[in-house]
Amino acid sequence: MSGKPRLTYLNGRGRMEPVRWLLAAAGVEFEETFLETREQYEKLIKDGVLMFQQVPLVEIDGMKMVQTRAILSYIAGKYNLYGKDLKERALIDMYVEGITDLMQMILMFPFSPPETKEKNIDSIKERATNRYFPVFEKVLKQHGQDFLVGNKFSWADVQLIEAILAVEEKIPAVLSGFPQLQAFKKRMSNMPTIKKFLQPGSPRKPPPDDCYVETVLKIFKK
């Protein structure tokens, strides 16, 4: 396969959104196919396209890639966003895994019952402000550089700006006690490729709504 990467997922954030972010940050244009019915999903399985019968699916460099982490690490390596050596990769991996843990809470939030949403918002705020954001605030303060690893833009920076904006949608003042992260957010948001991705009409998806939740349940729940 040649040409632009092709992404197959629902028309919403979910587990594909960090892939969209990373490709966009690398300045890579991509095409998307959106799943709207269970029949489309079952056809992918029947055709043997999904190794573990799961999406996201990314077709790139002649491969049909599944598993979000594998897709992201391949893109990061391909576009020089994965550090200069094994030690830097290890740091990036640790940062990314931590951010992913926080984003998992964001990912599941739309599917929580209405009576638990306020409690879940409180949990997201507690984790963000006490466990995850302090790590990155300290890193940026200690080394005094613009980026998290090796003073060079990397996958970790992309994951962090995505997470910051996602948490801020639910808790607007979440960065009030993190001046380094406030400055980081401003720097990252003004990088040309990211700035473009944040503009209306970009492939970035809006926060999940009830329609998205219904589509997810329709396609993946038997």
Side-chain angles (χ1 to χ4, degrees):
M1 179 183 170
S2 59
K4 298 177 183 177
R6 175 171 289 278
L7 283 50
T8 300
Y9 198 70
L10 288 77
N11 188 10
R13 289 184 182 175
R15 298 188 187 280
M16 185 66 91
E17 194 69 357
V19 177
R20 298 184 186 108
W21 264 92
L22 193 56
L23 285 168
V28 179
E29 293 185 357
F30 53 87
E31 298 174 346
E32 296 197 73
T33 298
F34 298 124
L35 299 178
E36 297 175 345
T37 67
R38 183 164 180 86
E39 288 71 29
Q40 288 174 295
Y41 170 58
E42 288 176 342
K43 186 177 187 306
L44 289 175
I45 295 173
K46 184 179 178 181
D47 291 346
V49 175
L50 304 178
M51 184 181 290
F52 299 108
Q53 301 183 17
Q54 295 171 314
V55 288
L57 167 67
V58 174
E59 297 171 77
I60 184 172
D61 295 342
M63 298 185 293
K64 297 183 188 299
M65 295 196 70
V66 295
Q67 298 298 318
T68 309
R69 171 67 198 225
I71 294 165
L72 288 167
S73 61
Y74 181 82
I75 293 168
K78 178 178 173 69
Y79 295 105
N80 199 26
L81 296 171
Y82 209 175
K84 71 177 188 298
D85 55 31
L86 281 174
K87 287 187 176 181
E88 287 195 355
R89 285 195 171 203
L91 265 181
I92 290 169
D93 284 341
M94 286 193 288
Y95 294 155
V96 163
E97 288 295 316
I99 298 165
T100 301
D101 289 345
L102 175 60
M103 288 300 290
Q104 180 67 16
M105 300 176 73
I106 301 284
L107 193 70
M108 298 310 298
F109 179 80
F111 300 93
S112 57
E115 63 271 16
T116 67
K117 287 195 183 298
E118 187 174 343
K119 180 182 177 182
N120 290 345
I121 288 281
D122 290 342
S123 295
I124 291 168
K125 181 179 180 181
E126 192 276 329
R127 290 284 183 89
T129 56
N130 293 327
R131 181 179 297 187
Y132 296 106
F133 286 174
V135 170
F136 302 109
E137 180 77 8
K138 182 179 179 181
V139 168
L140 292 166
K141 185 175 183 179
Q142 283 185 338
H143 65 37
Q145 297 169 342
D146 287 349
F147 306 111
L148 289 172
V149 179
N151 202 25
K152 186 176 184 297
F153 184 54
S154 77
W155 173 19
D157 300 300
V158 182
Q159 293 271 114
L160 181 55
I161 184 62
E162 180 192 0
I164 286 171
L165 295 178
V167 175
E168 279 189 330
E169 287 173 350
K170 309 229 173 329
I171 308 147
V174 73
L175 290 188
S176 60
F178 301 99
Q180 297 294 331
L181 289 182
Q182 292 174 35
F184 174 86
K185 173 192 165 186
K186 185 175 181 180
R187 284 195 303 275
M188 293 302 107
S189 299
N190 283 313
M191 288 188 65
T193 55
I194 291 179
K195 188 173 184 178
K196 181 180 178 182
F197 189 62
L198 293 175
Q199 299 305 308
S202 86
R204 186 186 182 212
K205 305 307 176 202
D209 57 13
D210 290 343
C211 180
Y212 173 76
V213 171
E214 288 172 12
T215 304
V216 171
L217 297 177
K218 176 178 71 175
I219 293 175
F220 300 119
K221 295 290 186 183
K222 289 186 177 180

